[in-house]
Amino acid sequence: MRVGDYEAVIGLEVHVQLSTESKLFCGCSTTFGASPNTQVCATCLGYPGSLPVLNRAALRMAVRAGLAFGSTIARETKFDRKNYFYADLPKGYQISQFDVPYADGGVVSFVRSDGSDRAIRLTRIHLEEDAGKSSHDDVSPVSRIDLNRCGTPLLEMVSEPELRDAEDADGFLRTVRETVRWIAVADANMEEGSLRCDVNLSLRPVGSTELGTRTEVKNLNSFAFVRGAIEAEAVRQESVLAQGGSIVQETRLYDPERRQTVSMRSKEDAHDYRYFPEPDLPPVDIPVSWIAEQSSHVGVLPSERRRLMIANHHLSDRDAAQMTSTRELAEYFEATVEAGARADQASNWLQNELPQWMNEHDYSLTELSLAPAGLAAILAAVDSDRMSTATAREVLREVLASGSDPDGVIASKGDQLSDEGAIRSLIDQVLADNVDAVARLQGGESKVRGFLMGQVMKRSRGKINPKVANALLDERLAE
Ligand code: ADP
Ligand code: MG
Ligand code: ZN
């Protein structure tokens, strides 16, 4: 991104809330939306004498995320206290990780709209607890504090300063969201605050390789705000520099209404926090075998899944993106194809007929009684002209609603001797394959009609009603 004589350099710090049932160091619930201050205990409120205990599920999810981003998982990690005072942090410190994060390096890869590949390196990922939440009243001069969020597990992902514009930030965040959802370690909803982002941005003269002084815009909770903050902050810094001024390293906030960033406080450095090892938590050993076990749960990630679907099943980019919108759908699609369905047909039905029924009946894919093999059987019946598409839709709806065995429903409906749609498409195929015969018939050789009718009966393996077929053939020939 160029602004005047400068280009932007951007590094992101992304907070992802892990979807554990309980908090990082105590047993309190993490359910979103509970009444304020109902999900708290002595530990997450930091009462003297309380002791934290690491939540194993949080470490498991964190390690899976690290593996998904290609980070190196530490064999031994530890927690540190980050000390600061704020009303939403009753302990006076946050338990975080300072010099030995559990995950080192890694990369977030995505494709830009012009088709170019981007691979933004991660510096590190660490595990930490969240603070509470303050809200400020517009009318009366009070602030309210809800401590339910205190102690909720967060990943903090720190990127190298390798992003260049708002589109990079967008691609980065979408990939993070897709990945953590795919491996089921986070919901990553920006609206609910379970995915939040700080933007670090500096400018440098175009062509320079040195980093300029940066500012940090904190707590952006929508894709639009991230984009807006990057654009506004780049323009602001350029105007400061163009007037001969210099950038002050500081923390800023984004005001979406005015589309401007505003100064919040001067930037603190690490030493301001007086980090020191958390004395109440022993260092954590992470066995290699346990890491390997987590790796097997991560599996093939969506971008690779898309590549394989395009290469092996010849799906379009768009269809492959649709089929990887969730892991469940990707697995359902692949199992349907594995069971013999044509890939384009499976993708089509999984984008249209199935979601339509699921929306009407408020079902999710995992709740369906129809197994992928059943869907493949229905699609095969259409493919072999045993049923028309319209009949197949009926079969699908009946199977979904009743939970009956698809083969039985196909047999009862699909072999109906008078499925007009199927007979019509069969006749069309016979006519298309016998253009010469049709021409001779139209030229007056009436006995050819018998040959064509014979072909229709043969192709249906004698299953269609000859009377209906005769009538439909006449109809078609008269067109
Ligand atoms: P902190 O903000 O906690 O002091 P760091 O100094 O490690 O932490 O940097 C945090 C983020 O700022 C990282 O994403 C890093 O890539 C980015 N960053 C560091 N220096 C610059 C710079 N000059 N311009 C843009 N981004 C930067
Ligand atoms: Mg920071
Ligand atoms: Zn608690």
Side-chain angles (χ1 to χ4, degrees), residues 12 14-16 69 107-110 122 155 157 169-183 185-186 188 195 223:
L12 299 181
V14 179
H15 285 98
V16 181
F69 293 111
V107 65
V108 174
S109 305
F110 53 92
L122 294 175
L155 294 185
M157 303 176 56
D170 206 72
F172 184 98
L173 286 169
R174 286 181 196 282
T175 305
V176 167
R177 184 176 68 172
E178 174 178 62
T179 308
V180 295
R181 284 182 177 173
W182 185 273
I183 60 172
V185 303
L195 176 67
F223 287 99

Side-chain angles (χ1 to χ4, degrees), residues 388-426:
S388 66
T389 305
T391 310
R393 271 194 208 111
E394 274 174 44
V395 170
L396 178 75
R397 292 183 151 266
E398 184 171 328
V399 167
L400 289 172
S402 65
S404 345
D405 168 42
D407 289 328
V409 181
I410 293 169
S412 72
K413 279 204 193 252
D415 291 335
Q416 267 170 8
L417 301 178
S418 49
D419 180 345
E420 294 200 5
I423 300 175
R424 277 209 179 87
S425 87
L426 224 137

Side-chain angles (χ1 to χ4, degrees), residues 9-13 123 158-161 200-202 211-214 216 267-268:
V9 175
I10 301 162
L12 299 181
E13 288 162 276
T123 313
V158 182
S159 88
E160 290 290 303
N200 295 268
L201 186 146
S202 62
L211 292 177
T213 304
R214 66 163 153 145
E216 178 171 6
K267 170 95 180 102
E268 51 293 293

Side-chain angles (χ1 to χ4, degrees), residues 14-18 62 65 102 125-127 153-157:
V14 179
H15 285 98
V16 181
Q17 185 186 318
L18 295 175
Y102 84 91
I125 311 178
H126 65 252
L127 187 54
L154 296 180
L155 294 185
E156 177 169 335
M157 303 176 56

